Coordinates of all heavy atoms in Angstrom, one line a residue:
M23 N -30.5 -114.9 -78.2 CA -29.1 -114.7 -78.0 C -28.6 -113.6 -78.9 O -27.7 -112.9 -78.5 CB -28.5 -116.1 -78.3 CG -27.0 -116.1 -77.9 SD -26.9 -116.0 -76.1 CE -25.2 -116.1 -76.0
I24 N -29.1 -113.5 -80.1 CA -28.6 -112.5 -81.1 C -29.0 -111.1 -80.6 O -28.2 -110.2 -80.8 CB -29.2 -112.8 -82.5 CG1 -28.7 -114.2 -83.0 CG2 -28.9 -111.7 -83.5 CD1 -29.4 -114.6 -84.3
L25 N -30.2 -111.0 -80.0 CA -30.6 -109.7 -79.5 C -29.7 -109.2 -78.4 O -29.3 -108.0 -78.4 CB -32.1 -109.8 -79.1 CG -32.7 -108.5 -78.5 CD1 -32.7 -107.4 -79.6 CD2 -34.0 -108.7 -78.0
I26 N -29.3 -110.1 -77.5 CA -28.5 -109.7 -76.4 C -27.1 -109.3 -76.9 O -26.5 -108.3 -76.5 CB -28.4 -110.9 -75.4 CG1 -29.7 -111.1 -74.7 CG2 -27.3 -110.6 -74.3 CD1 -29.8 -112.3 -73.8
R27 N -26.6 -110.1 -77.9 CA -25.3 -109.8 -78.5 C -25.3 -108.4 -79.1 O -24.4 -107.6 -79.0 CB -24.9 -110.8 -79.4 CG -23.6 -110.5 -80.1 CD -23.3 -111.5 -81.2 NE -22.5 -112.6 -80.7 CZ -22.2 -113.6 -81.4 NH1 -22.6 -113.8 -82.7 NH2 -21.4 -114.6 -80.9
F28 N -26.4 -108.1 -79.9 CA -26.6 -106.9 -80.6 C -26.6 -105.7 -79.6 O -26.0 -104.7 -79.8 CB -27.9 -106.9 -81.4 CG -28.2 -105.6 -82.0 CD1 -27.5 -105.1 -83.1 CD2 -29.2 -104.8 -81.5 CE1 -27.8 -103.9 -83.7 CE2 -29.5 -103.5 -82.1 CZ -28.8 -103.1 -83.2
L29 N -27.4 -105.9 -78.5 CA -27.5 -104.8 -77.5 C -26.1 -104.6 -76.8 O -25.8 -103.4 -76.6 CB -28.5 -105.2 -76.4 CG -30.0 -105.1 -76.9 CD1 -30.9 -105.7 -75.8 CD2 -30.3 -103.7 -77.2
I30 N -25.4 -105.6 -76.5 CA -24.1 -105.4 -75.8 C -23.1 -104.7 -76.8 O -22.4 -103.7 -76.4 CB -23.5 -106.8 -75.4 CG1 -24.3 -107.3 -74.2 CG2 -22.1 -106.6 -75.0 CD1 -24.0 -108.7 -73.8
I31 N -23.1 -105.1 -78.0 CA -22.2 -104.4 -79.0 C -22.6 -103.0 -79.2 O -21.8 -102.1 -79.3 CB -22.2 -105.2 -80.3 CG1 -21.5 -106.6 -80.1 CG2 -21.5 -104.4 -81.4 CD1 -21.5 -107.5 -81.3
S32 N -23.9 -102.7 -79.3 CA -24.4 -101.4 -79.5 C -24.0 -100.5 -78.3 O -23.6 -99.3 -78.5 CB -25.9 -101.4 -79.7 OG -26.3 -102.1 -80.8
I33 N -24.2 -101.0 -77.1 CA -23.9 -100.2 -75.9 C -22.4 -99.9 -75.9 O -22.0 -98.8 -75.6 CB -24.3 -101.0 -74.7 CG1 -25.9 -100.9 -74.6 CG2 -23.8 -100.3 -73.4 CD1 -26.5 -101.8 -73.5
C34 N -21.5 -100.9 -76.2 CA -20.1 -100.7 -76.2 C -19.7 -99.7 -77.3 O -18.9 -98.8 -77.0 CB -19.4 -102.0 -76.5 SG -19.5 -103.2 -75.1
V35 N -20.2 -99.8 -78.5 CA -19.9 -98.8 -79.6 C -20.4 -97.4 -79.1 O -19.6 -96.4 -79.3 CB -20.6 -99.2 -80.9 CG1 -20.5 -98.1 -81.9 CG2 -19.9 -100.5 -81.4
L36 N -21.5 -97.3 -78.6 CA -22.0 -95.9 -78.2 C -21.1 -95.4 -77.0 O -20.8 -94.2 -77.0 CB -23.5 -96.0 -77.7 CG -24.5 -96.2 -78.8 CD1 -25.9 -96.4 -78.3 CD2 -24.5 -95.0 -79.8
Y37 N -20.7 -96.2 -76.1 CA -19.8 -95.8 -75.0 C -18.5 -95.3 -75.6 O -18.0 -94.3 -75.2 CB -19.6 -96.9 -74.0 CG -18.8 -96.5 -72.8 CD1 -19.3 -95.7 -71.9 CD2 -17.5 -96.9 -72.7 CE1 -18.6 -95.3 -70.8 CE2 -16.7 -96.6 -71.7 CZ -17.3 -95.8 -70.7 OH -16.5 -95.4 -69.6
I38 N -17.9 -96.1 -76.5 CA -16.7 -95.7 -77.1 C -16.8 -94.4 -77.9 O -16.0 -93.5 -77.8 CB -16.1 -96.8 -78.1 CG1 -15.7 -98.0 -77.2 CG2 -15.0 -96.3 -78.9 CD1 -15.4 -99.2 -78.0
L39 N -17.9 -94.2 -78.7 CA -18.1 -93.0 -79.4 C -18.3 -91.8 -78.5 O -17.8 -90.7 -78.8 CB -19.3 -93.1 -80.3 CG -19.2 -94.0 -81.6 CD1 -20.5 -94.1 -82.3 CD2 -18.1 -93.3 -82.5
R40 N -19.0 -92.0 -77.4 CA -19.2 -90.9 -76.5 C -17.9 -90.5 -75.8 O -17.6 -89.3 -75.7 CB -20.2 -91.4 -75.4 CG -20.7 -90.2 -74.5 CD -21.7 -90.7 -73.5 NE -20.9 -91.1 -72.3 CZ -21.4 -91.6 -71.2 NH1 -22.7 -91.8 -71.2 NH2 -20.7 -91.9 -70.2
S41 N -17.0 -91.5 -75.5 CA -15.7 -91.1 -75.0 C -14.8 -90.4 -76.0 O -14.2 -89.4 -75.6 CB -15.0 -92.4 -74.5 OG -15.7 -93.1 -73.5
L42 N -14.9 -90.8 -77.2 CA -14.1 -90.1 -78.2 C -14.6 -88.7 -78.5 O -13.8 -87.8 -78.6 CB -14.1 -90.9 -79.6 CG -13.3 -92.2 -79.6 CD1 -13.6 -92.9 -80.9 CD2 -11.8 -91.9 -79.5
V43 N -15.9 -88.5 -78.5 CA -16.4 -87.2 -78.7 C -16.1 -86.3 -77.5 O -15.8 -85.1 -77.7 CB -18.0 -87.3 -78.9 CG1 -18.6 -85.9 -78.8 CG2 -18.3 -87.9 -80.2
R44 N -16.1 -86.9 -76.3 CA -15.7 -86.1 -75.1 C -14.3 -85.5 -75.2 O -14.0 -84.4 -74.7 CB -15.9 -86.9 -73.9 CG -15.6 -86.2 -72.6 CD -15.8 -87.0 -71.4 NE -17.2 -87.4 -71.3 CZ -17.7 -88.2 -70.4 NH1 -16.9 -88.9 -69.6 NH2 -19.0 -88.4 -70.3
F45 N -13.4 -86.2 -75.9 CA -12.0 -85.8 -76.0 C -11.8 -85.0 -77.3 O -10.9 -84.1 -77.3 CB -11.1 -87.0 -75.9 CG -11.0 -87.6 -74.6 CD1 -11.5 -88.9 -74.3 CD2 -10.5 -86.9 -73.5 CE1 -11.4 -89.5 -73.1 CE2 -10.4 -87.5 -72.2 CZ -10.9 -88.8 -72.0
L46 N -12.4 -85.3 -78.4 CA -12.1 -84.7 -79.6 C -12.8 -83.4 -79.9 O -12.2 -82.5 -80.4 CB -12.5 -85.7 -80.8 CG -11.6 -86.9 -80.9 CD1 -12.1 -87.8 -82.0 CD2 -10.2 -86.6 -81.0
L47 N -14.0 -83.3 -79.4 CA -14.8 -82.0 -79.6 C -14.1 -80.8 -78.9 O -14.0 -79.7 -79.6 CB -16.2 -82.1 -79.2 CG -17.2 -82.8 -80.2 CD1 -18.6 -82.8 -79.7 CD2 -17.1 -82.0 -81.5
P48 N -13.6 -80.9 -77.7 CA -13.0 -79.7 -77.1 C -11.7 -79.3 -77.9 O -11.5 -78.1 -78.1 CB -12.6 -80.2 -75.7 CG -13.6 -81.2 -75.4 CD -13.9 -81.9 -76.7
M49 N -11.0 -80.3 -78.4 CA -9.8 -79.9 -79.2 C -10.2 -79.2 -80.5 O -9.6 -78.3 -80.9 CB -9.0 -81.2 -79.5 CG -8.2 -81.7 -78.3 SD -7.1 -83.0 -78.7 CE -8.1 -84.3 -79.1
L50 N -11.3 -79.7 -81.1 CA -11.8 -79.1 -82.3 C -12.3 -77.7 -82.1 O -11.9 -76.7 -82.8 CB -12.9 -79.9 -82.9 CG -13.6 -79.4 -84.2 CD1 -12.7 -79.4 -85.3 CD2 -14.9 -80.2 -84.5
F51 N -13.0 -77.5 -81.0 CA -13.5 -76.1 -80.7 C -12.4 -75.2 -80.3 O -12.4 -74.0 -80.7 CB -14.5 -76.2 -79.5 CG -15.9 -76.7 -80.0 CD1 -16.6 -77.6 -79.2 CD2 -16.5 -76.3 -81.2 CE1 -17.8 -78.1 -79.5 CE2 -17.7 -76.8 -81.5 CZ -18.4 -77.7 -80.7
N52 N -11.4 -75.7 -79.6 CA -10.2 -74.9 -79.3 C -9.5 -74.4 -80.5 O -9.1 -73.2 -80.6 CB -9.3 -75.6 -78.4 CG -9.7 -75.6 -77.0 OD1 -10.6 -74.8 -76.5 ND2 -9.2 -76.6 -76.2
S53 N -9.3 -75.3 -81.5 CA -8.7 -74.9 -82.7 C -9.5 -73.8 -83.5 O -8.9 -72.9 -84.1 CB -8.4 -76.1 -83.6 OG -9.5 -76.7 -84.1
V54 N -10.8 -74.0 -83.5 CA -11.7 -73.0 -84.2 C -11.6 -71.7 -83.5 O -11.5 -70.6 -84.2 CB -13.1 -73.6 -84.3 CG1 -14.1 -72.5 -84.8 CG2 -13.2 -74.8 -85.2
I55 N -11.7 -71.7 -82.2 CA -11.6 -70.5 -81.4 C -10.3 -69.8 -81.6 O -10.2 -68.5 -81.8 CB -11.9 -70.7 -80.0 CG1 -13.4 -71.1 -79.8 CG2 -11.6 -69.5 -79.1 CD1 -13.8 -71.6 -78.4
N56 N -9.2 -70.5 -81.6 CA -7.9 -69.9 -81.7 C -7.7 -69.3 -83.1 O -7.1 -68.2 -83.3 CB -6.8 -71.0 -81.5 CG -6.6 -71.3 -80.1 OD1 -7.0 -70.6 -79.2 ND2 -6.1 -72.5 -79.8
K57 N -8.3 -70.0 -84.1 CA -8.2 -69.4 -85.5 C -9.0 -68.1 -85.6 O -8.5 -67.1 -86.2 CB -8.8 -70.5 -86.5 CG -8.5 -70.2 -87.9 CD -9.0 -71.3 -88.7 CE -8.5 -71.3 -90.1 NZ -9.0 -72.4 -90.9
A58 N -10.2 -68.1 -85.0 CA -11.0 -66.8 -85.0 C -10.3 -65.7 -84.3 O -10.3 -64.6 -84.7 CB -12.4 -67.1 -84.4
Q59 N -9.7 -66.0 -83.1 CA -9.0 -65.0 -82.4 C -7.8 -64.5 -83.2 O -7.5 -63.2 -83.2 CB -8.5 -65.5 -81.1 CG -9.6 -65.7 -80.0 CD -9.1 -66.3 -78.7 OE1 -8.0 -66.9 -78.7 NE2 -9.9 -66.2 -77.7
E60 N -7.1 -65.3 -83.9 CA -5.9 -64.9 -84.7 C -6.4 -64.0 -85.8 O -5.8 -63.0 -86.1 CB -5.2 -66.1 -85.2 CG -3.9 -65.8 -85.9 CD -2.9 -65.1 -85.0 OE1 -2.8 -65.5 -83.8 OE2 -2.1 -64.3 -85.5
Q61 N -7.5 -64.3 -86.5 CA -8.0 -63.5 -87.5 C -8.5 -62.1 -87.0 O -8.3 -61.1 -87.6 CB -9.2 -64.2 -88.2 CG -8.8 -65.3 -89.1 CD -10.0 -66.0 -89.7 OE1 -11.2 -65.7 -89.3 NE2 -9.8 -66.9 -90.6
A62 N -9.0 -62.1 -85.8 CA -9.5 -60.8 -85.2 C -8.3 -60.0 -84.8 O -8.3 -58.8 -85.1 CB -10.3 -61.1 -83.9
R63 N -7.2 -60.6 -84.3 CA -6.0 -59.8 -84.0 C -5.4 -59.3 -85.3 O -5.0 -58.1 -85.3 CB -4.9 -60.8 -83.3 CG -5.1 -60.9 -81.9 CD -3.9 -61.6 -81.2 NE -4.4 -62.4 -80.1 CZ -4.4 -63.7 -80.0 NH1 -4.0 -64.4 -81.0 NH2 -4.9 -64.3 -79.0
H64 N -5.3 -60.1 -86.3 CA -4.8 -59.6 -87.6 C -5.6 -58.5 -88.2 O -5.1 -57.5 -88.6 CB -4.8 -60.8 -88.6 CG -4.3 -60.4 -90.0 ND1 -3.0 -60.0 -90.2 CD2 -4.9 -60.3 -91.2 CE1 -2.8 -59.7 -91.5 NE2 -4.0 -59.8 -92.1
Q65 N -6.9 -58.6 -88.1 CA -7.8 -57.5 -88.6 C -7.6 -56.2 -87.7 O -7.6 -55.1 -88.3 CB -9.2 -58.0 -88.6 CG -10.2 -57.1 -89.3 CD -11.6 -57.7 -89.4 OE1 -12.0 -58.4 -88.5 NE2 -12.3 -57.4 -90.4
Q66 N -7.5 -56.4 -86.4 CA -7.3 -55.2 -85.6 C -6.0 -54.6 -85.8 O -5.9 -53.3 -85.9 CB -7.4 -55.7 -84.1 CG -7.4 -54.5 -83.1 CD -7.5 -55.0 -81.7 OE1 -7.3 -56.2 -81.4 NE2 -7.8 -54.2 -80.8
N67 N -4.9 -55.3 -86.0 CA -3.6 -54.7 -86.3 C -3.7 -54.0 -87.7 O -3.0 -53.0 -87.9 CB -2.5 -55.8 -86.4 CG -2.2 -56.3 -85.0 OD1 -2.5 -55.6 -84.0 ND2 -1.7 -57.5 -84.9
Y68 N -4.4 -54.5 -88.6 CA -4.5 -53.9 -90.0 C -5.2 -52.6 -89.9 O -4.9 -51.6 -90.6 CB -5.2 -54.9 -90.9 CG -5.3 -54.3 -92.3 CD1 -4.2 -54.2 -93.2 CD2 -6.5 -53.8 -92.8 CE1 -4.3 -53.7 -94.4 CE2 -6.6 -53.3 -94.1 CZ -5.5 -53.2 -94.9 OH -5.6 -52.7 -96.1
Q69 N -6.2 -52.5 -89.0 CA -7.0 -51.3 -89.0 C -6.3 -50.2 -88.2 O -6.5 -49.0 -88.5 CB -8.3 -51.6 -88.2 CG -9.3 -52.4 -89.0 CD -10.6 -52.7 -88.2 OE1 -10.7 -52.4 -87.0 NE2 -11.6 -53.3 -88.9
H70 N -5.3 -50.5 -87.4 CA -4.6 -49.5 -86.6 C -3.4 -49.0 -87.3 O -2.6 -48.2 -86.7 CB -4.3 -50.0 -85.2 CG -5.5 -50.2 -84.3 ND1 -6.2 -49.1 -83.9 CD2 -6.1 -51.2 -83.8 CE1 -7.2 -49.5 -83.1 NE2 -7.2 -50.8 -83.1
Q71 N -3.1 -49.4 -88.5 CA -1.9 -48.9 -89.2 C -2.2 -47.5 -89.6 O -3.2 -47.2 -90.2 CB -1.6 -49.8 -90.4 CG -1.1 -51.1 -90.1 CD -0.8 -52.0 -91.3 OE1 -1.2 -51.6 -92.4 NE2 -0.2 -53.1 -91.1
P72 N -1.3 -46.6 -89.3 CA -1.5 -45.2 -89.7 C -1.5 -45.0 -91.2 O -0.7 -45.5 -91.9 CB -0.3 -44.4 -89.0 CG 0.7 -45.5 -88.8 CD 0.0 -46.8 -88.7
R73 N -2.4 -44.1 -91.7 CA -2.4 -43.8 -93.1 C -2.0 -42.3 -93.2 O -2.4 -41.5 -92.4 CB -3.8 -44.0 -93.6 CG -4.2 -45.5 -93.7 CD -5.5 -45.6 -94.5 NE -5.8 -47.0 -94.6 CZ -6.9 -47.4 -95.3 NH1 -7.7 -46.5 -95.8 NH2 -7.2 -48.7 -95.4
P74 N -1.3 -42.0 -94.3 CA -1.0 -40.6 -94.5 C -2.3 -39.8 -94.8 O -3.2 -40.3 -95.5 CB 0.0 -40.6 -95.7 CG -0.2 -42.0 -96.3 CD -0.7 -42.9 -95.2
D75 N -2.4 -38.6 -94.2 CA -3.5 -37.8 -94.4 C -3.5 -37.2 -95.8 O -2.5 -36.8 -96.3 CB -3.5 -36.6 -93.4 CG -3.8 -37.2 -92.0 OD1 -4.4 -38.2 -91.9 OD2 -3.4 -36.5 -91.0
G76 N -4.7 -37.0 -96.4 CA -4.8 -36.4 -97.7 C -4.5 -37.2 -98.9 O -4.5 -36.8 -100.0
R77 N -4.2 -38.5 -98.7 CA -3.9 -39.4 -99.8 C -5.1 -40.3 -100.1 O -5.7 -40.8 -99.1 CB -2.7 -40.2 -99.5 CG -1.5 -39.3 -99.3 CD -0.3 -39.9 -100.0 NE 0.8 -39.0 -99.9 CZ 2.0 -39.3 -100.2 NH1 2.3 -40.6 -100.5 NH2 3.0 -38.5 -100.2
V78 N -5.4 -40.5 -101.3 CA -6.4 -41.4 -101.8 C -5.8 -42.5 -102.6 O -5.1 -42.2 -103.6 CB -7.5 -40.7 -102.5 CG1 -8.6 -41.6 -103.0 CG2 -8.1 -39.6 -101.6
K79 N -6.1 -43.7 -102.4 CA -5.6 -44.8 -103.2 C -6.8 -45.4 -104.0 O -7.8 -45.8 -103.4 CB -5.0 -45.9 -102.3 CG -4.4 -47.0 -103.1 CD -3.8 -48.1 -102.2 CE -3.3 -49.3 -103.0 NZ -2.8 -50.3 -102.2
V80 N -6.6 -45.5 -105.3 CA -7.7 -46.0 -106.1 C -7.1 -47.3 -106.7 O -6.1 -47.4 -107.4 CB -8.0 -45.1 -107.3 CG1 -9.1 -45.7 -108.2 CG2 -8.5 -43.7 -106.8
D81 N -7.8 -48.4 -106.3 CA -7.4 -49.7 -106.7 C -7.8 -50.1 -108.2 O -7.1 -50.7 -108.9 CB -7.9 -50.8 -105.8 CG -7.3 -50.7 -104.4 OD1 -6.2 -50.3 -104.3 OD2 -8.0 -51.2 -103.5
H82 N -9.0 -49.6 -108.6 CA -9.5 -50.0 -109.9 C -10.3 -48.9 -110.5 O -11.2 -48.3 -109.8 CB -10.3 -51.3 -109.8 CG -11.0 -51.6 -111.0 ND1 -10.3 -52.2 -112.1 CD2 -12.3 -51.6 -111.4 CE1 -11.2 -52.4 -113.1 NE2 -12.4 -52.1 -112.7
I83 N -10.0 -48.5 -111.7 CA -10.8 -47.5 -112.4 C -11.5 -48.2 -113.6 O -10.8 -48.8 -114.5 CB -9.9 -46.4 -113.0 CG1 -9.2 -45.7 -111.8 CG2 -10.7 -45.4 -113.8 CD1 -8.2 -44.6 -112.2
P84 N -12.8 -48.3 -113.6 CA -13.5 -49.0 -114.7 C -13.2 -48.3 -116.0 O -13.3 -47.0 -116.1 CB -14.9 -49.0 -114.3 CG -15.1 -48.2 -113.1 CD -13.7 -47.8 -112.6
E85 N -13.0 -49.0 -117.1 CA -12.7 -48.4 -118.4 C -14.1 -48.2 -119.1 O -15.0 -49.0 -119.0 CB -11.9 -49.4 -119.2 CG -10.5 -49.5 -118.7 CD -9.6 -50.5 -119.5 OE1 -10.0 -50.7 -120.7 OE2 -8.7 -51.0 -119.0
G86 N -14.1 -47.1 -119.8 CA -15.3 -46.8 -120.7 C -16.5 -46.3 -119.9 O -17.6 -46.1 -120.5
K87 N -16.4 -46.1 -118.6 CA -17.6 -45.6 -117.9 C -17.4 -44.1 -117.7 O -16.4 -43.6 -117.1 CB -17.7 -46.3 -116.5 CG -18.5 -47.5 -116.6 CD -18.9 -47.9 -115.1 CE -20.0 -48.9 -115.2 NZ -20.5 -49.2 -113.9
K88 N -18.4 -43.3 -118.1 CA -18.4 -41.9 -117.9 C -19.7 -41.6 -117.1 O -20.7 -42.3 -117.2 CB -18.4 -41.2 -119.2 CG -17.0 -41.1 -119.9 CD -16.6 -39.7 -120.0 CE -15.3 -39.6 -120.6 NZ -14.8 -38.3 -120.5
G89 N -19.6 -40.5 -116.4 CA -20.8 -40.0 -115.7 C -21.9 -39.5 -116.7 O -21.6 -39.2 -117.8
T90 N -23.1 -39.6 -116.3 CA -24.2 -39.1 -117.2 C -24.2 -37.6 -117.3 O -24.8 -37.0 -118.2 CB -25.6 -39.6 -116.7 OG1 -25.8 -39.2 -115.4 CG2 -25.6 -41.2 -116.8
V91 N -23.7 -36.9 -116.3 CA -23.7 -35.5 -116.3 C -22.3 -35.0 -116.7 O -21.3 -35.4 -116.1 CB -24.0 -35.0 -114.8 CG1 -24.0 -33.4 -114.8 CG2 -25.4 -35.5 -114.4
P92 N -22.2 -34.1 -117.6 CA -20.9 -33.5 -118.0 C -20.3 -32.7 -116.9 O -21.0 -32.2 -116.0 CB -21.2 -32.6 -119.2 CG -22.6 -32.8 -119.5 CD -23.3 -33.5 -118.5
D93 N -19.0 -32.6 -116.9 CA -18.3 -31.9 -115.8 C -18.6 -30.5 -115.7 O -18.6 -29.9 -114.6 CB -16.7 -32.1 -116.0 CG -16.3 -33.5 -115.8 OD1 -17.0 -34.3 -115.0 OD2 -15.2 -33.9 -116.3
T94 N -19.0 -29.9 -116.8 CA -19.4 -28.4 -116.8 C -20.7 -28.2 -116.2 O -21.0 -27.1 -115.7 CB -19.4 -27.9 -118.2 OG1 -20.3 -28.6 -119.0 CG2 -18.0 -28.0 -118.8
E95 N -21.6 -29.2 -116.1 CA -23.0 -29.0 -115.6 C -23.0 -29.1 -114.1 O -23.8 -28.4 -113.5 CB -23.9 -30.1 -116.2 CG -24.1 -29.9 -117.7 CD -24.9 -28.7 -118.1 OE1 -25.8 -28.3 -117.3 OE2 -24.6 -28.1 -119.1
G96 N -22.3 -29.9 -113.5 CA -22.4 -30.1 -112.1 C -23.5 -31.1 -111.7 O -24.1 -31.7 -112.6
E97 N -23.8 -31.2 -110.5 CA -24.9 -32.1 -110.1 C -26.0 -31.3 -109.5 O -25.8 -30.3 -108.8 CB -24.4 -33.1 -109.0 CG -23.3 -34.1 -109.6 CD -22.9 -35.1 -108.5 OE1 -23.6 -35.3 -107.5 OE2 -21.9 -35.8 -108.7
F98 N -27.2 -31.8 -109.7 CA -28.4 -31.1 -109.2 C -28.9 -31.9 -108.0 O -29.1 -33.1 -108.0 CB -29.5 -31.1 -110.2 CG -30.8 -30.4 -109.8 CD1 -30.8 -29.0 -109.6 CD2 -31.9 -31.1 -109.4 CE1 -31.9 -28.4 -109.2 CE2 -33.0 -30.5 -108.9 CZ -33.0 -29.1 -108.8
V99 N -29.1 -31.2 -106.9 CA -29.6 -31.8 -105.7 C -31.0 -31.2 -105.3 O -31.2 -30.0 -105.2 CB -28.7 -31.5 -104.5 CG1 -29.2 -32.1 -103.2 CG2 -27.3 -32.0 -104.8
D100 N -32.0 -32.1 -105.2 CA -33.3 -31.7 -104.9 C -33.3 -31.2 -103.4 O -32.7 -31.7 -102.6 CB -34.3 -32.8 -105.0 CG -34.6 -33.2 -106.4 OD1 -34.5 -32.3 -107.3 OD2 -34.9 -34.4 -106.7
Y101 N -34.1 -30.2 -103.2 CA -34.2 -29.7 -101.8 C -35.6 -29.1 -101.6 O -36.3 -28.8 -102.5 CB -33.2 -28.6 -101.5 CG -33.4 -27.3 -102.2 CD1 -34.1 -26.3 -101.5 CD2 -33.0 -27.1 -103.5 CE1 -34.3 -25.1 -102.2 CE2 -33.2 -25.9 -104.1 CZ -33.9 -24.9 -103.5 OH -34.1 -23.7 -104.1
E102 N -36.0 -29.1 -100.4 CA -37.3 -28.5 -100.0 C -37.0 -27.3 -99.1 O -36.1 -27.3 -98.2 CB -38.2 -29.4 -99.2 CG -38.7 -30.6 -100.0 CD -39.7 -31.4 -99.2 OE1 -40.2 -30.9 -98.2 OE2 -39.9 -32.6 -99.6
E103 N -37.7 -26.2 -99.3 CA -37.5 -25.0 -98.5 C -38.3 -25.2 -97.2 O -39.5 -25.5 -97.2 CB -38.0 -23.8 -99.3 CG -37.6 -22.5 -98.7 CD -38.0 -21.3 -99.6 OE1 -37.8 -21.4 -100.8 OE2 -38.5 -20.3 -99.0
I104 N -37.6 -25.0 -96.1 CA -38.2 -25.1 -94.8 C -38.5 -23.7 -94.3 O -37.7 -22.9 -94.3 CB -37.3 -25.9 -93.9 CG1 -37.0 -27.3 -94.4 CG2 -37.9 -25.9 -92.5 CD1 -36.0 -28.0 -93.6
K105 N -39.8 -23.5 -93.9 CA -40.2 -22.2 -93.4 C -40.2 -22.2 -91.9 O -40.4 -23.1 -91.2 CB -41.5 -21.8 -93.9 CG -41.5 -21.6 -95.4 CD -42.8 -21.1 -95.9 CE -42.8 -21.0 -97.4 NZ -44.0 -20.5 -98.0

């Protein structure tokens, strides 16, 4: 008798869980998809904002860092001569 009661309760619980999942998962996926679409729209709008030509914006300049090559020396670039 205990086994039959356990099986009936288990089947009912699984049926209820399956029904809840059937209704709750689509709502969850819709909210995730809508959030991703909104972020994509925001990112697309941010990329299409016109920037003035010839202007450079520096957000952060590290303190105490200097290049290893002095400004008077310039930079040396290795090259191979192609014949």
Side-chain angles (χ1 to χ4, degrees):
M23 189 70 176
I24 295 175
L25 180 63
I26 294 173
R27 177 188 268 177
F28 174 76
L29 288 175
I30 291 173
I31 291 173
S32 298
I33 290 171
C34 289
V35 167
L36 288 174
Y37 182 74
I38 291 171
L39 285 176
R40 192 178 90 184
S41 298
L42 285 175
V43 167
R44 183 179 289 172
F45 290 113
L46 293 179
L47 277 181
M49 287 190 289
L50 176 68
F51 286 138
N52 282 338
S53 67
V54 169
I55 289 171
N56 288 339
K57 192 175 196 180
Q59 285 177 343
E60 187 64 34
Q61 287 177 350
R63 278 191 212 111
H64 177 69
Q65 192 174 32
Q66 186 178 15
N67 288 340
Y68 180 73
Q69 288 177 353
H70 289 293
Q71 290 178 351
R73 290 188 177 183
D75 291 335
R77 296 224 174 164
V78 176
K79 180 180 178 184
V80 178
D81 291 334
H82 174 71
I83 300 174
E85 294 180 19
K87 271 197 162 184
K88 283 241 177 188
T90 56
V91 178
D93 290 336
T94 58
E95 293 293 322
E97 292 185 14
F98 181 75
V99 179
D100 289 330
Y101 72 96
E102 289 185 20
E103 192 172 318
I104 300 174
K105 294 182 180 179

